[in-house]
Amino acid sequence: MKLKPVGFYSDTEFGEPGQPTLEGSCGKFSGPLEKMVSYLRSAHTIMMSGSGVYDELASGKPLIGALAIQTDGNWVWPSSYPYYVEKYRMEVPAGLLDLASSRNWIPPDFPDDADFESLMPFEG
C-alpha cells in the first residue's frame, strides 16, 4: 500500500499535480491544533534535503526551514506541512486526523534504516 500524500500543494515548488492548492486549503482545520502540529512535527523523517522551503503565503516569502519528508507509516508530508497547519490552519484530511487521534497524538517510531522508497506515492 502506498503512503497517502498530504501537504504537497500543487502550486508550490515541491508540490505534486493533483494535490490541493495552498490558498484553497487555508482556514479549513478546526481540530486540536497543538496536538495535530506536534504529531506532524514529531513523525519519522524519511529524507532530509539541502533545499530550503519558504512560506509561499507571506510577503517576502520567509524561510520555513530545510526540506524534509516525514511519515507516520500511512501518510507522507513535507516538513513545511506542520508549519502551514499551525500558521494558516491548513486542511488536514479526516483520515489523518482520525489516525493521529487514535494513536493518542504520538506517531510510531521506525528504525533509522526503514525503507519507505517503494511506498512513496510519487516518483522522486
Side-chain angles (χ1 to χ4, degrees):
M1 183 168 88
K2 297 283 186 186
L3 297 170
K4 299 173 206 147
V6 65
F8 294 94
Y9 301 107
S10 61
D11 55 347
T12 64
E13 181 180 357
F14 303 106
E16 287 291 317
Q19 291 293 299
T21 64
L22 269 174
E23 288 196 23
S25 298
C26 283
K28 292 190 174 182
F29 182 69
S30 60
L33 187 63
E34 284 185 30
K35 290 178 179 182
M36 190 73 243
V37 170
S38 175
Y39 180 87
L40 293 168
R41 284 194 172 132
S42 61
H44 181 76
T45 299
I46 296 174
M47 187 257 335
M48 289 288 296
S49 166
S51 300
V53 286
Y54 300 87
D55 184 336
E56 298 288 333
L57 296 173
S59 64
K61 297 186 179 184
L63 180 68
I64 294 172
L67 174 64
I69 304 298
Q70 295 178 269
T71 189
D72 63 2
N74 292 70
W75 294 83
V76 63
W77 56 89
S79 54
S80 56
Y81 184 55
Y83 170 88
Y84 283 118
V85 171
E86 182 174 45
K87 185 163 184 178
Y88 300 105
R89 294 190 158 271
M90 299 309 254
E91 184 171 20
V92 174
L96 175 53
L97 183 61
D98 292 345
L99 179 62
S101 175
S102 76
R103 292 176 168 169
N104 202 27
W105 308 104
I106 301 170
D109 287 325
F110 297 100
D112 288 340
D113 61 350
D115 185 7
F116 290 94
E117 190 171 332
S118 66
L119 303 177
M120 293 302 285
F122 37 78
E123 294 184 24

